Amino acid sequence: MSITAAQKTAIDEVIRVLTSATSRRAKRRLAAMFLELVDKEHWPEYYEVIPQPRCLNGVKISLAQNKYKDPLDAFQDLHLVFLNALHYNEPGSQISKDATALKGILESEWKQRSVLPTPPASAPPSSAQKVHAQKDQKERAAAPPIPSKSQLASQAQKASVKASASAPAPMDVDPTPQGSSQPTPAAGTKSPERAPSPDVDVDIGGTPEPEVGAHDGARDGESDEIVRQLEKGLPRWEGFADVGWTDDLDPVSRTAHDRMVQVVDAISQYRDESGNRLAVSLEAVPEETNVPDLSLNTPLSLRLVESRVRMSYYATAHTFDKEMSQLFLKARRWYEVGTEPYGNVLVLQRLYHALTSPSPPQPPYSSVTKFAALPAGPGTAKPLHGSEDNTGVTTFRVSLKDRTIIDEINYKGWTVRLADWLHLSNPDDPSRPIVGQVFKCFLSSDAQKKGQPGVSVCWYYRPEQTFHPASRQFWEREIFKTGHFADHPIEDILEKVACQFTARHLRGRPRAPFWYPGWPLYVCDSRYNDRDRVFVKIKNWNSCIPEEVRKKEEFMPIYPFERPVVPRSCPSPFLGAQKIQAPGGIIDAPEKAEGEKAESIPVTRKRPQRKAAAKAEAERAGTSKAATVVAPQPATQPATSAPQGGYAPQSYPQYAQHIPPHEDRSIYVAAGGASALNNATVEELPPETARHFDRDPETNEVLWFAAPPVDLVHAPPPRHSLKYLAFLAQKRKKQIGDGGGAEEDGTSAPNLKRRKVPLTITEQLETLMKEHGLDQVPVS
């Protein structure tokens, strides 16, 4: 029988329900992984295990093209989509859970539509489950029969007799002991061997999701193996793209060759303020390329580049520029972040960026900021609005003044777009580059920098750039979001990196092109307020990323692990045996407020609970109609130890807030205060309700007002001082006194002009009624 129009519409509705189904908590589309077929080029073993691959979009296209002659054929293909996923993936994986949920939705929605025939209860014959089950039966039939326990016992007794007379020989005996309840394993009862589920191209799309519960287990060898297995199957970075390279040198003229020689000599011979030759760190990198997860495998070193330049090996500046960038990439991967050689490499890379810029510096090459564009970095930079001598660096919001916003910037093989994370040159400590997220790409319209590209980024602080108690624990490669925004020229860009918020980092790794194995990967769990030196745990991840990507499902999806993997925890970097130079330091641990719970790793400082203070304040307001609200005094800063590395701690002026007295009109007081609400229950807003309210950008707390705003009439301030008004009163009194005496002498005093007060509306109506005689008319 053929499919009728009503049946076709019903099947289309079932497919629409499947594709729009979302998870209960994270609002993630369950069918995202089942829309298209698995990539055969990346996962060829999938097609060896699955006899008939199917996808939802393929079924939808076949239905639109009238390829199905029977509605049950369409049901069979839809059923195969989820049966294939259940067979190929392990039962506990995320894609297996999604397939189970969608399979139940398919069966339920299909049965609810009376125009569709009843689906079969068993799997179709072409499913992987039945195909491999038939193969297993054939293998078991061809295999030799398994001996019984009595036969095995007699064989073992004969073998022991022979063993006493001859040398011991290995025996092929059933390892299951007699009397054991474990069944004897039969040959071929399992499906063919396949790669673990982390290697499967699994994606959890959507914006950053709510945080998962804390994991009790510590990082162990099994967790490391889970991470290693997943990253082993991820796509590799193909290397620098052919964009953003230096092409303004003439490849034919002699000047291009001379310029390449000058650049290489400057890199090789540069010395810092102490006279150290930094190129030693670059020359120590071996010429053979054996760095894991590197995009190049050919020999490369500084000496090799020098010899090629002098032999005129590079025909274009493009080729020379790309090979120098590959050399710096190789050196960055060779050294550890935070080490002195790593910092030397980044200083040389920033010098190279300056030498190949449109306005290169002139020799001798020296810079107090290590050639970085900004005068200060995280931990020492001051905000623009708080500096009286115009030495500020950062702002608290992205500026749009004197610039043209663009979608992307191409520089040295990198394509930088909105919401990308970058390593940027740090003028204070080159070995710890600035970690920032791009909020805008722009072309400057300023007269001095007209047409120059740049990026506006939000800075993330490293643990050593914060002040924290000695007892605080950090995740491995943890960073902290701040409210500092800064504009960087493209020459400050060192490389692209990635950062995951804790909820995602525990569950998987970012998909390409947001991250590739070998790229630096950070994790963020809290905000850091460098003014108050406090950490605030991030609860709403959407508030931390640019607004343009908050609702996009394709922003930083992940390849999930088999189970959540907790990062390693590390102590404070200032507690190590080796003293480090950084703008942060150790401070005294904050006192716990009454009722505040101790935090789990990583420990973050919370604001003291103010319920007791609010309760007492409400009681005072209930007894007095005109209660006075006293402005809170700034908390006394705890005693701090000397900053590590000689950085001067940044001080901020304390501003006193003066709140005028007003009547407490809250619901709490209107209900009678604490005496009337002793038995009241206090509940928190559920997440599904709280997400509809605005939040404080600093504390991430819901902006909740207990009373409507009060309209206060503000009296205009006096225009004159009291002294001047007293003088005018004395002058007027004297004039009136002089006028009275003049009348007695027969002289006329000057007439004082009186301001005529305009009539009111009522007075005007009464005047008009009198003029027309209407005031005598009786009113009926």
Side-chain angles (χ1 to χ4, degrees), residues 433-614:
I434 299 173
V435 181
Q437 187 180 24
V438 178
F439 272 65
K440 295 293 179 185
C441 299
F442 63 87
L443 294 176
S444 177
S445 303
D446 186 68
Q448 299 179 351
K449 305 177 181 178
K450 190 173 182 61
Q452 296 183 11
V455 290
S456 296
V457 302
C458 175
W459 282 359
Y460 283 67
Y461 279 19
R462 300 174 184 269
E464 57 268 26
Q465 295 164 347
T466 68
F467 286 89
H468 51 267
S471 60
R472 195 188 197 285
Q473 296 288 316
F474 299 92
W475 295 129
E476 188 178 22
R477 296 187 299 274
E478 184 177 6
I479 56 178
F480 304 93
K481 188 186 185 303
T482 68
H484 292 278
F485 292 84
D487 295 337
H488 289 264
I490 58 173
E491 289 80 12
D492 271 353
I493 299 176
L494 301 174
E495 62 180 338
K496 292 178 68 173
V497 298
C499 174
Q500 287 183 292
F501 298 115
T502 312
R504 290 287 184 89
H505 191 70
L506 297 179
R507 293 199 296 265
R509 291 293 177 262
R511 287 174 57 101
F514 298 98
W515 180 79
Y516 292 93
W519 285 19
L521 179 62
Y522 297 92
V523 57
C524 178
D525 186 73
S526 306
R527 300 174 187 265
Y528 176 68
N529 187 334
D530 58 339
R531 185 171 188 172
D532 299 329
R533 297 178 177 178
V534 295
F535 298 86
V536 180
K537 191 175 184 63
I538 298 175
K539 297 181 180 178
N540 182 16
W541 307 113
N542 278 332
S543 63
C544 301
I545 61 178
E547 185 177 359
E548 294 84 348
V549 299
R550 290 179 183 176
K551 301 301 180 183
K552 291 187 177 180
E553 295 184 356
E554 64 271 16
F555 177 67
M556 286 200 78
I558 63 172
Y559 297 95
F561 296 133
E562 294 180 355
R563 61 169 177 80
V565 175
V566 180
R568 293 183 178 88
S569 60
C570 308
S572 170
F574 297 108
L575 299 181
Q578 183 179 3
K579 299 298 182 181
I580 64 172
Q581 294 183 355
I586 299 294
I587 61 175
D588 294 340
E591 296 182 0
K592 295 289 182 181
E594 183 179 356
E596 185 176 355
K597 296 180 180 180
E599 295 174 314
S600 59
I601 297 175
V603 181
T604 57
R605 290 180 56 181
K606 293 182 178 178
R607 295 182 179 272
Q609 292 187 356
R610 293 168 288 185
K611 293 181 179 179

Side-chain angles (χ1 to χ4, degrees), residues 162-199:
K162 292 181 179 179
S164 60
S166 60
M171 296 180 297
D172 187 10
V173 184
D174 183 8
T176 305
Q178 296 185 9
S180 174
S181 60
Q182 298 180 0
T184 303
T189 57
K190 292 185 178 181
S191 60
E193 292 292 330
R194 54 182 181 271
S197 61
D199 290 347

Side-chain angles (χ1 to χ4, degrees), residues 273-292:
E273 296 84 355
S274 303
N276 299 320
R277 181 171 168 269
L278 304 188
V280 174
S281 301
L282 203 57
E283 293 170 349
V285 179
E287 184 172 311
E288 296 297 329
T289 303
N290 54 1
V291 181

Side-chain angles (χ1 to χ4, degrees), residues 179-320:
S180 174
S181 60
Q182 298 180 0
T184 303
T189 57
K190 292 185 178 181
S191 60
E193 292 292 330
R194 54 182 181 271
S197 61
D199 290 347
V200 183
D201 188 6
V202 180
D203 179 11
I204 299 180
T207 56
E209 300 171 5
E211 183 183 2
V212 296
H215 197 278
D216 297 333
R219 185 69 174 262
D220 51 11
E222 183 181 356
S223 299
D224 293 336
E225 185 63 25
I226 291 175
V227 176
R228 192 179 302 110
Q229 284 291 335
L230 176 64
E231 295 183 355
K232 184 176 65 174
L234 299 185
R236 261 42 186 178
W237 184 46
E238 297 180 356
F240 293 111
D242 288 330
V243 293
W245 300 109
T246 302
D247 289 325
D248 55 351
L249 296 179
D250 188 359
V252 180
S253 65
R254 181 67 178 173
T255 57
H257 173 265
D258 294 341
R259 183 58 183 162
M260 294 180 192
V261 173
Q262 292 176 2
V263 170
V264 172
D265 289 344
I267 298 297
S268 178
Q269 300 173 8
Y270 173 74
R271 296 179 181 272
D272 61 7
E273 296 84 355
S274 303
N276 299 320
R277 181 171 168 269
L278 304 188
V280 174
S281 301
L282 203 57
E283 293 170 349
V285 179
E287 184 172 311
E288 296 297 329
T289 303
N290 54 1
V291 181
D293 300 321
L294 201 61
S295 59
L296 65 148
N297 53 11
T298 57
L300 186 61
S301 65
L302 180 60
R303 293 182 179 178
L304 184 60
V305 173
E306 287 179 336
S307 61
R308 288 177 175 177
V309 167
R310 303 188 190 284
M311 295 169 52
S312 301
Y313 173 82
Y314 302 106
T316 63
H318 179 134
T319 309
F320 168 73

Side-chain angles (χ1 to χ4, degrees), residues 722-740:
L722 293 176
K723 186 177 182 180
Y724 180 69
L725 292 175
F727 166 76
L728 291 179
Q730 293 291 337
K731 182 179 180 181
R732 181 174 298 178
K733 183 178 181 180
K734 185 178 180 181
Q735 289 176 351
I736 294 175
D738 293 343

Side-chain angles (χ1 to χ4, degrees), residues 117-140:
T118 303
S122 61
S126 58
S127 64
Q129 286 82 352
K130 289 198 172 183
V131 170
H132 290 293
Q134 293 176 359
K135 292 182 179 179
D136 295 341
Q137 291 178 358
K138 293 180 180 179
E139 292 176 358
R140 286 196 297 268

Side-chain angles (χ1 to χ4, degrees), residues 612-624 627 664 668-669 672-676 678:
K615 182 177 179 181
E617 187 68 28
E619 290 179 350
R620 290 196 298 270
T623 57
S624 175
D664 192 335
Y668 185 83
V669 175
S675 58
N678 284 335

